Amino acid sequence: DAMVIQNPRYQVTQFGKPVTLSCSQTLNHNVMYWYQQKSSQAPKLLFHYYDKDFNNEADTPDNFQSRRPNTSFCFLDIRSPGLGDAAMYLCATSRDVTGGANVLTFGAGSRLTVL
Amino acid sequence: GDSVTQMEGPVTLSEEAFLTINCTYTATGYPSLFWYVQYPGEGLQLLLKATKADDKGSNKGFEATYRKETTSFHLEKGSVQVSDSAVYFCALSDRATGANNLFFGTGTRLTVIP
């Protein structure tokens, strides 16, 4: 089945130790997103790639970076995780449809714990 | 700016009860509206959507009607089951502000007890 796969599902890191989360998709969607979801809150968009074009949200901290080496893969790098970065990180994809509804397909998420 | 206001939870219902979760929105242009569901330990899944006024989205017994006059997209189900226990998110995408984003409500946790 075509899907969005996130690895790892659970990541524990120490304060300040860099972390990389990965996302892969078999849907051949041209748009990929990273959302941060803290406990009992709505998902918050960090950034997205439209093909190779990177689009950063204005309030995303510099501590968060992303790479998309090809259509299928996208990475979230947290350079120096703080306690406040503990959250579920959701990857999503969509096919840009002019004039249509932008339906996102989400992965299962990567839960980050910062000690 | 665009925003979604969602009924606060948590909501606890007995099996076979009627469910309504309220959602209202503010948008600049002509948004598409969605309900996503998040089961415990999982990512979000699209439940249903509507792309224009008076459209009704439906799936798995859930329904929501896009009401432009009241800027609402309330989620309903006539008879809930234990397996419907999850967090439900109302969301919109607005082509006027760039369709490559979803604005989510804060989520409503539903617990259905036998």
Side-chain angles (χ1 to χ4, degrees), chain A residues 11-81:
Chain A
Q11 175 73 58
V12 180
T13 191
Q14 292 181 332
F15 184 94
K17 186 174 182 181
V19 162
T20 295
L21 306 177
S22 75
C23 177
S24 64
Q25 56 129 339
T26 60
L27 297 161
N28 203 32
H29 284 171
N30 58 331
V31 192
M32 294 188 77
Y33 310 77
W34 280 104
Y35 282 84
Q36 179 192 62
Q37 186 183 20
K38 295 187 177 180
S39 181
S40 302
Q41 297 184 20
K44 176 181 178 299
L45 182 67
L46 295 173
F47 26 58
H48 74 274
Y49 274 93
Y50 188 114
D51 294 319
K52 293 185 177 182
D53 293 334
F54 178 70
N55 298 270
N56 199 28
E57 293 300 299
D59 56 355
T60 297
D62 292 341
N63 197 27
F64 292 87
Q65 304 286 320
S66 186
R67 296 169 283 137
R68 189 179 186 186
N70 54 52
T71 300
S72 302
F73 284 89
C74 194
F75 299 95
L76 170 63
D77 300 309
I78 308 175
R79 294 190 298 185
S80 182

Side-chain angles (χ1 to χ4, degrees), chain B:
Chain B
D2 294 352
S3 65
V4 174
T5 302
Q6 192 173 336
M7 170 182 172
E8 290 189 16
V11 174
T12 302
L13 295 174
S14 297
E15 205 165 21
E16 299 184 3
F18 184 86
L19 169 71
T20 300
I21 300 178
N22 290 338
C23 172
T24 57
Y25 68 89
T26 302
T28 305
Y30 304 96
S32 296
L33 301 173
F34 308 83
W35 278 99
Y36 279 82
V37 58
Q38 186 173 32
Y39 298 102
E42 300 184 13
L44 279 71
Q45 302 174 26
L46 178 67
L47 181 60
L48 53 84
K49 65 180 171 70
T51 59
K52 61 183 187 298
D54 300 325
D55 269 1
K56 178 185 283 188
S58 61
N59 186 24
K60 300 181 181 179
F62 290 89
E63 293 183 340
T65 300
Y66 189 142
R67 301 284 189 201
K68 189 176 180 182
E69 63 275 14
T70 55
T71 61
S72 66
F73 193 55
H74 305 321
L75 182 68
E76 296 182 335
K77 186 174 186 182
S79 177
V80 294
Q81 305 300 312
V82 173
S83 57
D84 294 327
S85 298
V87 181
Y88 292 83
F89 290 92
C90 185
L92 72 81
S93 69
D94 186 353
R95 290 190 290 277
T97 59
N100 288 318
N101 189 12
L102 279 180
F103 293 90
F104 286 93
T106 53
T108 301
R109 181 177 298 279
L110 170 67
T111 301
V112 180
I113 55 178

